[in-house]
Amino acid sequence: MKKYTALLLALLLLFFSAFNGVWAYDKEANLLMVDIISNNEIKTVENGIENRILLTEDNDFRKVQVLDENGCLETQFIYDKNNKTMYSSITNDFINLDSDVTLNVMGQCTPGSSVTSLASISYSEIISIAGQYLSYATLSALIIAKVGAISIEISPKVYEATKALLGIYGAQSTSYLQSHGINYKAIGNCRYNHRAQMYVYAYSVEDYSTY
């Protein structure tokens, strides 16, 4: 009975994802879900823990906030576009970024179109900004703060690989951590989001490489 219930749940999640902008994965009962709420807000769920991620942006700053299920602030990243620095409430420090990339996500896109971008983040950046022990929400918030894409989903494979790589290389020298890291391959497909009532690029990070 449990087997058929799990199958039914998976089919229902797949069905609703086509209409509501929801991605869900079940990896050994570790449910990861991303739900696009609007063009500046998503919801993530990991092991039953719900977070809201909010993006606000102007010409000078990009701010990403992670809220708990009660709406209380857990984590905040602020990217200074002029100085190329990132403030992290986790480390309470400003970090110089090794590279900068912004994905095309705001405004209208042409239905059926797609774009591909690489977001390179060094091990030093990940640890200095988000800490060595990542949650799905903090990794999502870091990538959103780095690239400016709120409608972004990180696959369980990439999430687990990131944690494993930090475990392997996290104790290396500062120079090593600054010169090595992860290339996240983001593929954006233009989709109509019913909540946002507009076509937006929904990005999926399904693959990665190291450098």
Side-chain angles (χ1 to χ4, degrees):
M1 184 65 182
K2 290 183 178 179
K3 178 179 179 181
Y4 292 111
T5 302
L7 178 59
L8 177 60
L9 175 61
L11 290 173
L12 287 172
L13 287 170
L14 180 61
F15 174 78
F16 284 112
S17 69
F19 298 95
N20 295 325
V22 177
W23 299 273
Y25 296 86
D26 191 349
K27 184 176 184 294
E28 297 177 355
N30 179 18
L31 183 66
L32 300 176
M33 186 177 76
V34 178
D35 186 2
I36 300 175
I37 305 300
S38 68
N39 62 351
N40 66 348
E41 180 180 358
I42 64 172
K43 179 179 74 174
T44 67
V45 180
E46 179 182 8
N47 287 331
I49 299 174
E50 179 179 315
N51 290 101
R52 299 271 175 151
I53 301 178
L54 305 177
L55 169 66
T56 57
E57 186 166 6
D58 57 28
N59 292 331
D60 299 313
F61 296 97
R62 178 184 301 142
K63 180 168 69 175
V64 178
Q65 296 177 310
V66 180
L67 311 180
D68 65 17
E69 59 184 6
N70 297 315
C72 298
L73 181 66
E74 284 189 351
T75 302
Q76 179 170 254
F77 301 139
I78 302 175
Y79 171 49
D80 185 328
K81 299 179 182 180
N82 298 313
N83 295 316
K84 299 295 189 292
T85 60
M86 185 85 75
Y87 168 77
S88 168
S89 66
I90 295 176
T91 60
N92 194 31
D93 199 3
F94 290 87
I95 294 91
N96 292 316
L97 297 186
D98 299 326
S99 61
D100 177 55
V101 61
T102 299
L103 303 183
N104 177 20
V105 294
M106 304 306 293
Q108 296 288 330
C109 58
T110 304
S113 64
S114 63
V115 292
T116 301
S117 298
L118 279 180
S120 299
I121 306 180
S122 70
Y123 294 129
S124 176
E125 287 178 348
I126 297 174
I127 295 171
S128 299
I129 297 171
Q132 191 162 351
Y133 303 101
L134 294 172
S135 69
Y136 189 73
T138 55
L139 179 59
S140 298
L142 170 59
I143 294 180
I144 290 168
K146 177 88 173 186
V147 304
I150 189 64
S151 54
I152 193 163
E153 168 236 351
I154 303 165
S155 74
K157 180 187 78 171
V158 173
Y159 172 51
E160 296 295 338
T162 300
K163 292 195 296 182
L165 288 167
L166 290 179
I168 295 171
Y169 299 110
Q172 295 288 336
S173 66
T174 299
S175 60
Y176 182 92
L177 295 176
Q178 290 176 339
S179 59
H180 295 77
I182 304 173
N183 297 311
Y184 294 99
K185 183 179 180 181
I187 300 176
N189 293 298
C190 187
R191 300 176 180 172
Y192 186 77
N193 182 268
H194 292 274
R195 288 197 179 101
Q197 296 185 342
M198 62 187 297
Y199 283 96
V200 296
Y201 280 118
Y203 281 88
S204 178
V205 181
E206 297 284 348
D207 203 2
Y208 71 96
S209 61
T210 59
Y211 64 91

